Amino acid sequence: HVQLVESGGGSVQAGGSLRLSCAASPETYHNHCMGWFRQVPGKDTEGVARIDGSGQYTFYTDSTKGRFTISRADNTLYLQMNDLKPEDSAMYYCAAMVTIGCSVSPETFRWWGQGTQVTVS
C-alpha cells in the first residue's frame, strides 16, 4: 500500500523554525528519490529539496539553500526549515519517484502526500 503522510506544518513567525516529516510506506521509501515541493494558490508547484534513494546526494532550490535541510531515515523523510521567511508560506508536499536518482520536474514524481500547510508571518 503506497502511502505518504506529511506532518509538522503550522504557523510561525519570521526567523523561526519548523521540521516537516513524511512517513512513507516501505515500497515508496526504499531506494527511491524523495523530495519536498510547495505550492501557493495560483502559482506553479515549486521544488524545495530532493534526496536520492541512497541518501548521499541532496539538492536544494536556490531560495532554500543554507536554510533548509532534507534528510531521510527509517521510512521517513524530513525537512528542517530554519530562518523561515513569509515567502516560504505554502502548502508543502512530500513526493517520491520510482528511481534512485532524482529528476527536477514534479511530473517525474509518481507518489504524493496530501500536504501540510506552513504559514510564516
Side-chain angles (χ1 to χ4, degrees):
H1 177 62
V2 173
Q3 189 174 24
L4 295 171
V5 181
E6 302 98 334
S7 62
S11 296
V12 65
Q13 292 188 335
S17 298
L18 285 173
R19 188 192 196 201
L20 305 184
S21 299
C22 174
S25 57
E27 58 266 51
T28 310
Y29 179 90
H30 185 62
N31 278 345
H32 293 155
C33 168
M34 299 188 73
W36 288 98
F37 294 82
R38 63 188 180 188
Q39 188 174 33
V40 175
K43 294 189 176 181
D44 291 338
T45 300
E46 178 188 23
V48 174
R50 309 182 302 280
I51 184 168
D52 80 324
S54 73
Q56 294 183 59
Y57 302 102
T58 58
F59 313 88
Y60 298 90
T61 191
D62 286 345
S63 64
T64 63
K65 284 180 183 176
R67 300 189 298 122
F68 291 10
T69 302
I70 190 171
S71 61
R72 59 190 298 164
D74 299 328
N75 291 343
T76 303
L77 181 72
Y78 300 97
L79 185 68
Q80 177 66 43
M81 304 187 295
N82 298 327
D83 190 23
L84 283 161
K85 306 176 186 299
E87 52 264 40
D88 294 318
S89 297
M91 184 70 79
Y92 282 70
Y93 296 91
C94 165
M97 295 183 64
V98 298
T99 57
I100 294 176
C102 291
S103 295
V104 175
S105 172
E107 287 74 22
T108 61
F109 284 74
R110 177 174 291 186
W111 301 295
W112 291 79
Q114 294 301 306
T116 184
Q117 179 69 39
V118 172
T119 303
V120 185
S121 59

